[in-house]
Amino acid sequence: MLNVNSNIQFIKGVGEKRARLFNSLGIFDVDSLIHFYPRKYEDWSKTKTVKEALDNEVVCIRATMITPVKESMIRKGLTLYKCRFSDGESIVDVTIFNNKYLAKSLRIYDDYLLFGKIEKNFTKASMSAPKIEKSDTGINIHPIYSATGKLTSKAILKVMRTALDEIGEIEETLTEEIKNKYNLISLDKAIRYIHFPRDEKDIVDARNRLIFEELLTLQLGLLKLKGNKKRQSAYKITSDYTDEFIQLLPFSLTNAQKKAMKECIDDLEGEHPMSRLIQGDVGSGKTAVAAGVLYTVIKNGYQGALMAPTEILAKQHYESLSKLLDGTGIRTGLLTGSVKASEKREIKSLLINGEIDLLIGTHALIQNDVEFKRLGLVITDEQHRFGVKQRAELANKGDGIHTLVMSATPIPRTLGLILYGDLDISIIDELPPGRQEIRTDVVNSSYNNRLYKFIKNAVDRGEQCYIICPAVDENELGVKSAEQYADELSEGAFNGYNLGLLHGKLKPKEKESVMKAFVDGDIKILVATTVVEVGVDVPNATIMVIENAERFGLSQLHQLRGRIGRGNKKSYCVLVSDSESENAQNRLMTMKRYTDGFKIADEDLKIRGPGDFFGEKQHGLPDLKIADMVDDVETLRLTQHCAKEILSNDFNLEHSENKNLSKRIDLMFKNIEY
Ligand code: ADP
Ligand code: MG
């Protein structure tokens, strides 16, 4: 007796040799077979007459075979079988290639359905290698599977039929309650409908159920991995100092900033520690929100930490926050890898004695030997630049500590929902007033001279410019390197202009002084690598030129572009690319078309697919069989909610009604390293 655990080779008609073909599709047992879903469907229910069909249309024709099959061998390996059909009104000539089995099965005067492309001219109609079935099979919708060479879609379907007929009812994974609440059909029905739908509705119902289950499984697995046990808050905040903080700012907050800050403060006052993500496009003013939240926590007597992914950014945060908080009595400190050992010791001792209230730094500040007296809140800026591991380390820094992560857009909404499934999310969807839209252009290097002139004009007006290169030094032909290009420009086009060079290979002190000179406006044109990608804020910079733009991901380009348009002057982003690849040009045009980072990230995800999205697959997400990260975002939201509900009653999924679901999670995550 066949069951879901049976090896594929024990299904009638499979055997050892065929089993290997199934194996190559990732199918080893009956369970993986029935979860191997059709790639698409062909609808054979809406038949047309030959007369109704258009030339070259893919159609289904109901017709009677009116001549016997004529066989002709063209050459070795190519045999044609020809026969004629009539739909009662018109004739259609059919040619079958090599398929002796099919040709021999056809009977004259029997009725058939012919499915395929029809070619018509004035006098006759013909079909070449159509799919042919008896007209009375009762199957309207034909599933199509991703086949491999020797294993056709039809063969898979046949094995599927046998398996589903023999295994009996498929065990349910979801409770009645969940099925009712989310309007889902049973798993047994869903599996049967997905392979053998009677009509469109069956497919829709089956997909709804299976997509829901897949995303739910994914969410549960991630939530379990993250150990989302809600602890008691150890650092409850009793007074809200937002109003006092707002007085310090030189501007008034946008409504979106106020809302995000309010959501954070509500968290801080709640029973559980805050664990929240602020997603806001570049330039939306996340730093001010972070500062406000830190202010309240510190005024309540705790320490706060702000972690940035690069020294440059940490330094910039340190400087602007120190200035903002000057006179409030809040004591700030900076801790990065390049801080001198003696200074580090000093900072650490101040910290443990509670004499620093706000520590700003790179990931140096989560190292083991950094101890706080009463750390209440850790904020991570530009979260996407930190690995999953660092985030976990952070969470371990203190039990019941409040955490806030901030990210711009490289993560599309959908992936964000998954990756940060354990976090509450605030979205800042509004830019501060007075921002000018950035004009983006895509050009090739034949525009260089005009571009240089354009830059000089801007600099002469007192503005500044970034020129980004994909590499530090010369390595590949045709790829601009920051070092060489900076030399070339300072001796050539920008002779007499103050030009700076910034890249990751410089010593921290050098980086710092270059950046400072740019911030102060001494350096007018900064040739840099993507080290300036995150965070840096120089509102006077109005031009961003990106060389070899095709080499960057869309989200990265968007981040880079976010460095300009931060003040009230009109800003320009120029993407320079000599690539003639259509894909590259399309991607760059996406940048011209869209300014909304979420939109760009979604496009990026579509173009690259979730697997590639993070480059090194570091996101650690399992492959999905039926759900789509972009299209099924609504379901994703529902399942996120549902997963939390399930875990709140049964965190380890030990209750009998959750056992099967638990198995599915193990199966989905068995190859995932986290
Ligand atoms: P991001 O969200 O990219 O981190 P920042 O926090 O660096 O953005 O803010 C970008 C710029 O906008 C900064 O110069 C900041 O001072 C300014 N800014 C932030 N909020 C406002 C606001 N409400 N009104 C005007 N300017 C603002
Ligand atoms: Mg920022």
Side-chain angles (χ1 to χ4, degrees), residues 40 59 64 71 81 115 142 149 176 193-194 294 348 356 378 423 429 440 455 464 539 581-582 591 626 649:
K40 60 171 190 175
V59 284
T64 310
E71 177 179 333
Y81 302 90
F115 188 96
H142 291 240
E176 284 305 311
Y193 287 176
I194 201 83
L294 283 164
K348 283 184 203 165
I356 286 179
V378 177
L423 303 184
D429 54 2
T440 300
I455 293 171
Q464 288 165 280
S581 131
E582 198 178 325
M591 292 302 299
I626 188 163
N649 291 320

PDB file of all heavy atoms in Angstrom, residues 40 59 64 71 81 115 142 149 176 193-194 294 348 356 378 423 429 440 455 464 539 581-582 591 626 649:
ATOM      1  N   LYS A  40       2.106  25.278 -15.233  1.00  0.00           N
ATOM      2  CA  LYS A  40       0.989  26.056 -15.784  1.00  0.00           C
ATOM      3  C   LYS A  40      -0.106  25.070 -16.211  1.00  0.00           C
ATOM      4  O   LYS A  40       0.043  23.859 -16.046  1.00  0.00           O
ATOM      5  CB  LYS A  40       1.444  26.893 -16.974  1.00  0.00           C
ATOM      6  CG  LYS A  40       2.001  26.057 -18.115  1.00  0.00           C
ATOM      7  CD  LYS A  40       2.247  26.911 -19.363  1.00  0.00           C
ATOM      8  CE  LYS A  40       2.564  25.998 -20.532  1.00  0.00           C
ATOM      9  NZ  LYS A  40       2.697  26.683 -21.802  1.00  0.00           N
ATOM     10  N   VAL A  59      -5.003  26.761 -30.076  1.00  0.00           N
ATOM     11  CA  VAL A  59      -6.427  26.483 -29.855  1.00  0.00           C
ATOM     12  C   VAL A  59      -6.657  25.012 -29.527  1.00  0.00           C
ATOM     13  O   VAL A  59      -5.778  24.163 -29.684  1.00  0.00           O
ATOM     14  CB  VAL A  59      -7.268  26.775 -31.127  1.00  0.00           C
ATOM     15  CG1 VAL A  59      -7.469  28.252 -31.324  1.00  0.00           C
ATOM     16  CG2 VAL A  59      -6.653  26.108 -32.338  1.00  0.00           C
ATOM     17  N   THR A  64     -13.095  14.852 -35.707  1.00  0.00           N
ATOM     18  CA  THR A  64     -13.135  13.413 -35.945  1.00  0.00           C
ATOM     19  C   THR A  64     -12.017  13.046 -36.920  1.00  0.00           C
ATOM     20  O   THR A  64     -11.784  13.771 -37.891  1.00  0.00           O
ATOM     21  CB  THR A  64     -14.479  13.029 -36.595  1.00  0.00           C
ATOM     22  OG1 THR A  64     -15.525  13.617 -35.820  1.00  0.00           O
ATOM     23  CG2 THR A  64     -14.673  11.530 -36.660  1.00  0.00           C
ATOM     24  N   GLU A  71       2.286   6.817 -42.704  1.00  0.00           N
ATOM     25  CA  GLU A  71       3.615   6.930 -42.105  1.00  0.00           C
ATOM     26  C   GLU A  71       4.645   7.175 -43.187  1.00  0.00           C
ATOM     27  O   GLU A  71       4.616   6.533 -44.228  1.00  0.00           O
ATOM     28  CB  GLU A  71       3.920   5.618 -41.366  1.00  0.00           C
ATOM     29  CG  GLU A  71       5.295   5.565 -40.760  1.00  0.00           C
ATOM     30  CD  GLU A  71       5.539   4.244 -40.005  1.00  0.00           C
ATOM     31  OE1 GLU A  71       4.562   3.617 -39.524  1.00  0.00           O
ATOM     32  OE2 GLU A  71       6.708   3.852 -39.914  1.00  0.00           O
ATOM     33  N   TYR A  81       4.016  11.121 -39.224  1.00  0.00           N
ATOM     34  CA  TYR A  81       2.729  10.433 -39.309  1.00  0.00           C
ATOM     35  C   TYR A  81       1.714  11.503 -39.658  1.00  0.00           C
ATOM     36  O   TYR A  81       1.575  12.488 -38.943  1.00  0.00           O
ATOM     37  CB  TYR A  81       2.385   9.779 -37.975  1.00  0.00           C
ATOM     38  CG  TYR A  81       3.435   8.796 -37.510  1.00  0.00           C
ATOM     39  CD1 TYR A  81       4.487   9.218 -36.712  1.00  0.00           C
ATOM     40  CD2 TYR A  81       3.365   7.446 -37.886  1.00  0.00           C
ATOM     41  CE1 TYR A  81       5.449   8.326 -36.288  1.00  0.00           C
ATOM     42  CE2 TYR A  81       4.331   6.542 -37.467  1.00  0.00           C
ATOM     43  CZ  TYR A  81       5.378   6.991 -36.667  1.00  0.00           C
ATOM     44  OH  TYR A  81       6.338   6.108 -36.258  1.00  0.00           O
ATOM     45  N   PHE A 115      -4.891  19.949 -29.490  1.00  0.00           N
ATOM     46  CA  PHE A 115      -4.498  21.183 -28.806  1.00  0.00           C
ATOM     47  C   PHE A 115      -3.144  21.635 -29.313  1.00  0.00           C
ATOM     48  O   PHE A 115      -2.160  20.898 -29.272  1.00  0.00           O
ATOM     49  CB  PHE A 115      -4.425  20.959 -27.295  1.00  0.00           C
ATOM     50  CG  PHE A 115      -4.213  22.229 -26.513  1.00  0.00           C
ATOM     51  CD1 PHE A 115      -5.287  22.913 -25.965  1.00  0.00           C
ATOM     52  CD2 PHE A 115      -2.934  22.744 -26.327  1.00  0.00           C
ATOM     53  CE1 PHE A 115      -5.104  24.088 -25.253  1.00  0.00           C
ATOM     54  CE2 PHE A 115      -2.737  23.919 -25.614  1.00  0.00           C
ATOM     55  CZ  PHE A 115      -3.831  24.591 -25.070  1.00  0.00           C
ATOM     56  N   HIS A 142      -5.597  20.808 -18.446  1.00  0.00           N
ATOM     57  CA  HIS A 142      -4.439  19.925 -18.443  1.00  0.00           C
ATOM     58  C   HIS A 142      -3.255  20.584 -17.757  1.00  0.00           C
ATOM     59  O   HIS A 142      -2.800  21.639 -18.198  1.00  0.00           O
ATOM     60  CB  HIS A 142      -4.057  19.567 -19.884  1.00  0.00           C
ATOM     61  CG  HIS A 142      -5.055  18.683 -20.548  1.00  0.00           C
ATOM     62  ND1 HIS A 142      -4.737  17.445 -21.026  1.00  0.00           N
ATOM     63  CD2 HIS A 142      -6.381  18.845 -20.792  1.00  0.00           C
ATOM     64  CE1 HIS A 142      -5.821  16.881 -21.547  1.00  0.00           C
ATOM     65  NE2 HIS A 142      -6.835  17.721 -21.417  1.00  0.00           N
ATOM     66  N   GLY A 149      14.284  16.155 -19.907  1.00  0.00           N
ATOM     67  CA  GLY A 149      14.452  15.425 -21.158  1.00  0.00           C
ATOM     68  C   GLY A 149      13.590  14.185 -21.337  1.00  0.00           C
ATOM     69  O   GLY A 149      12.615  14.204 -22.080  1.00  0.00           O
ATOM     70  N   GLU A 176      -8.952  23.121  11.908  1.00  0.00           N
ATOM     71  CA  GLU A 176     -10.234  23.575  11.359  1.00  0.00           C
ATOM     72  C   GLU A 176     -10.383  25.082  11.542  1.00  0.00           C
ATOM     73  O   GLU A 176     -10.858  25.803  10.662  1.00  0.00           O
ATOM     74  CB  GLU A 176     -11.397  22.891  12.083  1.00  0.00           C
ATOM     75  CG  GLU A 176     -11.625  21.438  11.685  1.00  0.00           C
ATOM     76  CD  GLU A 176     -11.814  21.265  10.189  1.00  0.00           C
ATOM     77  OE1 GLU A 176     -12.632  22.020   9.608  1.00  0.00           O
ATOM     78  OE2 GLU A 176     -11.128  20.402   9.589  1.00  0.00           O
ATOM     79  N   TYR A 193      -6.777  19.092  -6.357  1.00  0.00           N
ATOM     80  CA  TYR A 193      -7.194  20.122  -7.320  1.00  0.00           C
ATOM     81  C   TYR A 193      -6.013  20.731  -8.070  1.00  0.00           C
ATOM     82  O   TYR A 193      -6.132  21.112  -9.225  1.00  0.00           O
ATOM     83  CB  TYR A 193      -7.924  21.269  -6.603  1.00  0.00           C
ATOM     84  CG  TYR A 193      -9.324  20.938  -6.134  1.00  0.00           C
ATOM     85  CD1 TYR A 193     -10.052  21.874  -5.403  1.00  0.00           C
ATOM     86  CD2 TYR A 193      -9.923  19.707  -6.426  1.00  0.00           C
ATOM     87  CE1 TYR A 193     -11.338  21.594  -4.959  1.00  0.00           C
ATOM     88  CE2 TYR A 193     -11.205  19.424  -5.983  1.00  0.00           C
ATOM     89  CZ  TYR A 193     -11.905  20.365  -5.245  1.00  0.00           C
ATOM     90  OH  TYR A 193     -13.160  20.102  -4.806  1.00  0.00           O
ATOM     91  N   ILE A 194      -4.893  20.851  -7.387  1.00  0.00           N
ATOM     92  CA  ILE A 194      -3.775  21.517  -8.056  1.00  0.00           C
ATOM     93  C   ILE A 194      -3.292  20.651  -9.228  1.00  0.00           C
ATOM     94  O   ILE A 194      -2.862  21.153 -10.256  1.00  0.00           O
ATOM     95  CB  ILE A 194      -2.617  21.852  -7.075  1.00  0.00           C
ATOM     96  CG1 ILE A 194      -1.725  22.958  -7.642  1.00  0.00           C
ATOM     97  CG2 ILE A 194      -1.719  20.657  -6.775  1.00  0.00           C
ATOM     98  CD1 ILE A 194      -2.208  24.341  -7.434  1.00  0.00           C
ATOM     99  N   LEU A 294      16.240  57.739  21.472  1.00  0.00           N
ATOM    100  CA  LEU A 294      17.391  57.672  22.387  1.00  0.00           C
ATOM    101  C   LEU A 294      17.232  58.699  23.512  1.00  0.00           C
ATOM    102  O   LEU A 294      17.490  58.418  24.678  1.00  0.00           O
ATOM    103  CB  LEU A 294      18.689  57.937  21.614  1.00  0.00           C
ATOM    104  CG  LEU A 294      19.217  56.774  20.770  1.00  0.00           C
ATOM    105  CD1 LEU A 294      20.250  57.259  19.763  1.00  0.00           C
ATOM    106  CD2 LEU A 294      19.804  55.667  21.648  1.00  0.00           C
ATOM    107  N   LYS A 348      35.498  52.765  27.741  1.00  0.00           N
ATOM    108  CA  LYS A 348      34.897  51.587  28.372  1.00  0.00           C
ATOM    109  C   LYS A 348      34.684  51.800  29.863  1.00  0.00           C
ATOM    110  O   LYS A 348      33.679  51.352  30.419  1.00  0.00           O
ATOM    111  CB  LYS A 348      35.788  50.368  28.140  1.00  0.00           C
ATOM    112  CG  LYS A 348      35.645  49.800  26.734  1.00  0.00           C
ATOM    113  CD  LYS A 348      36.474  48.548  26.619  1.00  0.00           C
ATOM    114  CE  LYS A 348      36.826  48.278  25.171  1.00  0.00           C
ATOM    115  NZ  LYS A 348      37.905  47.287  25.070  1.00  0.00           N
ATOM    116  N   ILE A 356      28.907  57.698  30.448  1.00  0.00           N
ATOM    117  CA  ILE A 356      28.523  58.004  29.073  1.00  0.00           C
ATOM    118  C   ILE A 356      27.073  57.551  28.924  1.00  0.00           C
ATOM    119  O   ILE A 356      26.719  56.451  29.330  1.00  0.00           O
ATOM    120  CB  ILE A 356      29.412  57.258  28.053  1.00  0.00           C
ATOM    121  CG1 ILE A 356      30.798  57.900  27.999  1.00  0.00           C
ATOM    122  CG2 ILE A 356      28.777  57.276  26.660  1.00  0.00           C
ATOM    123  CD1 ILE A 356      31.748  57.217  27.040  1.00  0.00           C
ATOM    124  N   VAL A 378      19.345  49.649  22.053  1.00  0.00           N
ATOM    125  CA  VAL A 378      20.368  49.618  21.009  1.00  0.00           C
ATOM    126  C   VAL A 378      19.693  49.886  19.671  1.00  0.00           C
ATOM    127  O   VAL A 378      18.711  49.235  19.312  1.00  0.00           O
ATOM    128  CB  VAL A 378      21.087  48.259  20.931  1.00  0.00           C
ATOM    129  CG1 VAL A 378      22.091  48.262  19.790  1.00  0.00           C
ATOM    130  CG2 VAL A 378      21.790  47.956  22.239  1.00  0.00           C
ATOM    131  N   LEU A 423       9.831  41.331  13.828  1.00  0.00           N
ATOM    132  CA  LEU A 423       9.858  42.734  14.229  1.00  0.00           C
ATOM    133  C   LEU A 423       8.549  43.443  13.902  1.00  0.00           C
ATOM    134  O   LEU A 423       7.858  43.094  12.969  1.00  0.00           O
ATOM    135  CB  LEU A 423      10.983  43.481  13.493  1.00  0.00           C
ATOM    136  CG  LEU A 423      12.396  42.961  13.649  1.00  0.00           C
ATOM    137  CD1 LEU A 423      13.354  43.881  12.934  1.00  0.00           C
ATOM    138  CD2 LEU A 423      12.768  42.851  15.106  1.00  0.00           C
ATOM    139  N   ASP A 429       7.087  57.169   5.222  1.00  0.00           N
ATOM    140  CA  ASP A 429       6.793  57.212   3.780  1.00  0.00           C
ATOM    141  C   ASP A 429       6.645  58.638   3.284  1.00  0.00           C
ATOM    142  O   ASP A 429       5.864  58.928   2.401  1.00  0.00           O
ATOM    143  CB  ASP A 429       5.521  56.408   3.492  1.00  0.00           C
ATOM    144  CG  ASP A 429       4.362  56.867   4.342  1.00  0.00           C
ATOM    145  OD1 ASP A 429       4.541  57.832   5.111  1.00  0.00           O
ATOM    146  OD2 ASP A 429       3.286  56.272   4.249  1.00  0.00           O
ATOM    147  N   THR A 440      17.369  62.126 -12.980  1.00  0.00           N
ATOM    148  CA  THR A 440      18.303  61.040 -13.274  1.00  0.00           C
ATOM    149  C   THR A 440      18.436  60.879 -14.782  1.00  0.00           C
ATOM    150  O   THR A 440      17.427  60.883 -15.495  1.00  0.00           O
ATOM    151  CB  THR A 440      17.790  59.726 -12.661  1.00  0.00           C
ATOM    152  OG1 THR A 440      17.684  59.900 -11.250  1.00  0.00           O
ATOM    153  CG2 THR A 440      18.748  58.579 -12.940  1.00  0.00           C
ATOM    154  N   ILE A 455      29.512  69.725 -14.268  1.00  0.00           N
ATOM    155  CA  ILE A 455      30.004  69.640 -12.884  1.00  0.00           C
ATOM    156  C   ILE A 455      30.721  70.946 -12.503  1.00  0.00           C
ATOM    157  O   ILE A 455      30.491  71.509 -11.436  1.00  0.00           O
ATOM    158  CB  ILE A 455      30.953  68.433 -12.720  1.00  0.00           C
ATOM    159  CG1 ILE A 455      30.165  67.127 -12.878  1.00  0.00           C
ATOM    160  CG2 ILE A 455      31.654  68.464 -11.372  1.00  0.00           C
ATOM    161  CD1 ILE A 455      31.024  65.880 -12.958  1.00  0.00           C
ATOM    162  N   GLN A 464      28.574  70.876  -4.629  1.00  0.00           N
ATOM    163  CA  GLN A 464      29.566  69.808  -4.610  1.00  0.00           C
ATOM    164  C   GLN A 464      29.086  68.582  -5.379  1.00  0.00           C
ATOM    165  O   GLN A 464      27.899  68.458  -5.676  1.00  0.00           O
ATOM    166  CB  GLN A 464      29.879  69.418  -3.158  1.00  0.00           C
ATOM    167  CG  GLN A 464      30.696  70.460  -2.429  1.00  0.00           C
ATOM    168  CD  GLN A 464      30.659  70.225  -0.932  1.00  0.00           C
ATOM    169  OE1 GLN A 464      29.680  70.595  -0.291  1.00  0.00           O
ATOM    170  NE2 GLN A 464      31.694  69.589  -0.396  1.00  0.00           N
ATOM    171  N   PRO A 539      24.299  67.944   2.506  1.00  0.00           N
ATOM    172  CA  PRO A 539      23.195  68.549   1.749  1.00  0.00           C
ATOM    173  C   PRO A 539      23.650  69.450   0.601  1.00  0.00           C
ATOM    174  O   PRO A 539      22.894  69.689  -0.326  1.00  0.00           O
ATOM    175  CB  PRO A 539      22.448  69.373   2.807  1.00  0.00           C
ATOM    176  CG  PRO A 539      22.830  68.769   4.111  1.00  0.00           C
ATOM    177  CD  PRO A 539      24.221  68.244   3.943  1.00  0.00           C
ATOM    178  N   SER A 581      24.106  45.873 -23.242  1.00  0.00           N
ATOM    179  CA  SER A 581      23.181  44.802 -22.875  1.00  0.00           C
ATOM    180  C   SER A 581      21.805  45.387 -22.585  1.00  0.00           C
ATOM    181  O   SER A 581      21.667  46.410 -21.910  1.00  0.00           O
ATOM    182  CB  SER A 581      23.713  44.050 -21.655  1.00  0.00           C
ATOM    183  OG  SER A 581      22.716  43.905 -20.689  1.00  0.00           O
ATOM    184  N   GLU A 582      20.802  44.722 -23.133  1.00  0.00           N
ATOM    185  CA  GLU A 582      19.452  45.234 -23.008  1.00  0.00           C
ATOM    186  C   GLU A 582      19.009  45.226 -21.553  1.00  0.00           C
ATOM    187  O   GLU A 582      18.399  46.152 -21.050  1.00  0.00           O
ATOM    188  CB  GLU A 582      18.504  44.361 -23.833  1.00  0.00           C
ATOM    189  CG  GLU A 582      17.195  45.023 -24.132  1.00  0.00           C
ATOM    190  CD  GLU A 582      16.321  44.123 -24.992  1.00  0.00           C
ATOM    191  OE1 GLU A 582      16.889  43.409 -25.852  1.00  0.00           O
ATOM    192  OE2 GLU A 582      15.111  44.113 -24.789  1.00  0.00           O
ATOM    193  N   MET A 591      15.875  53.142 -12.932  1.00  0.00           N
ATOM    194  CA  MET A 591      16.346  54.185 -12.021  1.00  0.00           C
ATOM    195  C   MET A 591      15.852  55.560 -12.450  1.00  0.00           C
ATOM    196  O   MET A 591      15.590  56.427 -11.624  1.00  0.00           O
ATOM    197  CB  MET A 591      17.876  54.216 -11.978  1.00  0.00           C
ATOM    198  CG  MET A 591      18.505  53.019 -11.339  1.00  0.00           C
ATOM    199  SD  MET A 591      17.937  52.775  -9.652  1.00  0.00           S
ATOM    200  CE  MET A 591      18.481  54.291  -8.897  1.00  0.00           C
ATOM    201  N   ILE A 626       5.550  27.479  -4.658  1.00  0.00           N
ATOM    202  CA  ILE A 626       4.324  27.999  -5.271  1.00  0.00           C
ATOM    203  C   ILE A 626       4.083  29.463  -4.952  1.00  0.00           C
ATOM    204  O   ILE A 626       3.551  30.196  -5.774  1.00  0.00           O
ATOM    205  CB  ILE A 626       3.104  27.114  -4.881  1.00  0.00           C
ATOM    206  CG1 ILE A 626       1.858  27.523  -5.670  1.00  0.00           C
ATOM    207  CG2 ILE A 626       2.841  27.127  -3.383  1.00  0.00           C
ATOM    208  CD1 ILE A 626       0.761  26.500  -5.664  1.00  0.00           C
ATOM    209  N   ASN A 649       0.239  30.120  21.338  1.00  0.00           N
ATOM    210  CA  ASN A 649      -0.418  29.032  22.077  1.00  0.00           C
ATOM    211  C   ASN A 649       0.458  27.806  22.223  1.00  0.00           C
ATOM    212  O   ASN A 649       0.294  27.010  23.124  1.00  0.00           O
ATOM    213  CB  ASN A 649      -1.694  28.594  21.352  1.00  0.00           C
ATOM    214  CG  ASN A 649      -2.750  29.661  21.418  1.00  0.00           C
ATOM    215  OD1 ASN A 649      -2.913  30.299  22.455  1.00  0.00           O
ATOM    216  ND2 ASN A 649      -3.433  29.878  20.313  1.00  0.00           N
TER     217      ASN A 649
END
